[in-house]
Amino acid sequence: MIAGERFEEAAEVGRRQVRNGAHILDVCLQDPDRDETSDVIKFLDQLNRRVKAPIMIDSTDASVIEESLKRLQGKSIINSINLEDGEERFQRVVPLARRYGAALVVGCIDDDPNQAQAITRERKLEIAQRSHRLLTENYGVAEEDIIFDPLTKTVLGVSNVSFGLPAAGREVFNSVFLYHCTQAGLDMAIVNSEMMRGTPSIPEETHTV
């Protein structure tokens, strides 16, 4: 839709997501063949007219993040920052979060030359604690504005686990998987709310593999 300049139609998708129960809308318009800033501005101008739910800006470009935050109402979320390049991304993005009152998704990745991508629980916790300390002590970010991926507050792209399955199977699989994740302590999930089903509507025999 975005590639076809159908911004109003794309914004309607967001409106339907909220109507179907989405609490936050994740907006990612990165495309190497397009002007991300221009697309974000045009899309958010349409989306703001249709929804009041918080928006999560999913971009690696600090200028896109700022242009987005200028246009958003209420509390927004920036997705995401990490320590992969040391504090470079923190330095570029965190001041924007402070200026516009946005929360931050913080990935458990750092600049360790041997294990930048945390795998073990201990390593994830180590990175999360380092990030928490930097954000709260050096950058003045409130604890409630930090969403760790995937620790203190956990966030998960649910549909990733069913990639490649037929559409009907993905709907059931994602719905059951989300149910069990929330029972296990998941705080936040990225889903297509139009394609999720309440577990009571799914036969019990499909809940296990």
Side-chain angles (χ1 to χ4, degrees), residues 162 164-175 195 197 202 206:
S162 64
L165 293 178
R170 295 193 75 184
E171 181 177 337
V172 172
F173 190 100
N174 292 345
S175 299
M195 299 298 292
R197 295 170 57 180
I202 301 173
T206 66

Side-chain angles (χ1 to χ4, degrees), residues 11-179:
E12 278 298 316
V13 173
R15 188 181 67 82
R16 292 199 302 271
Q17 293 280 330
V18 173
R19 187 179 61 196
N20 282 288
H23 300 107
I24 299 168
L25 292 181
D26 184 89
V27 174
C28 179
L29 300 183
Q30 290 178 292
D31 182 336
D33 297 322
R34 294 185 60 82
D35 183 333
E36 184 184 2
T37 301
S38 176
D39 282 345
V40 163
I41 290 172
K42 293 174 183 176
F43 176 66
L44 290 180
D45 284 347
Q46 294 295 328
L47 189 65
N48 279 335
R49 300 174 189 175
R50 291 168 170 80
V51 303
K52 300 301 181 185
I55 304 299
M56 178 182 288
I57 297 301
D58 194 339
S59 177
T60 58
D61 189 325
S63 63
V64 170
I65 292 171
E66 181 163 24
E67 287 302 321
S68 301
L69 293 173
K70 288 178 181 177
R71 289 166 170 77
L72 294 173
Q73 310 169 52
K75 190 78 170 181
S76 303
I77 304 170
I78 298 171
N79 186 10
S80 62
I81 60 172
N82 58 56
L83 292 167
E84 184 175 10
D85 298 310
E87 290 187 51
E88 180 183 336
R89 186 155 175 79
F90 276 36
Q91 292 167 351
R92 288 189 289 117
V93 176
V94 176
L96 298 177
R98 293 290 312 281
R99 185 180 310 155
Y100 295 98
L104 293 153
V105 174
V106 184
C108 289
I109 305 172
D110 72 359
D111 49 358
D112 187 294
N114 298 314
Q115 193 186 127
Q117 177 70 56
I119 298 174
T120 65
R121 287 180 297 177
E122 293 76 16
R123 181 79 178 109
K124 291 176 187 290
L125 180 59
E126 177 187 345
I127 297 174
Q129 289 175 329
R130 177 187 173 195
S131 298
H132 179 277
R133 184 171 59 253
L134 285 169
L135 290 170
T136 57
E137 296 180 7
N138 294 11
Y139 293 89
V141 176
E143 287 186 333
E144 58 267 28
D145 285 339
I146 302 172
I147 304 169
F148 283 111
D149 180 6
L151 285 169
T152 307
K153 287 189 176 179
T154 54
V155 57
L156 174 68
V158 170
S159 63
N160 293 339
V161 300
S162 64
F163 183 77
L165 293 178
R170 295 193 75 184
E171 181 177 337
V172 172
F173 190 100
N174 292 345
S175 299
V176 173
F177 183 62
L178 177 61
Y179 169 78

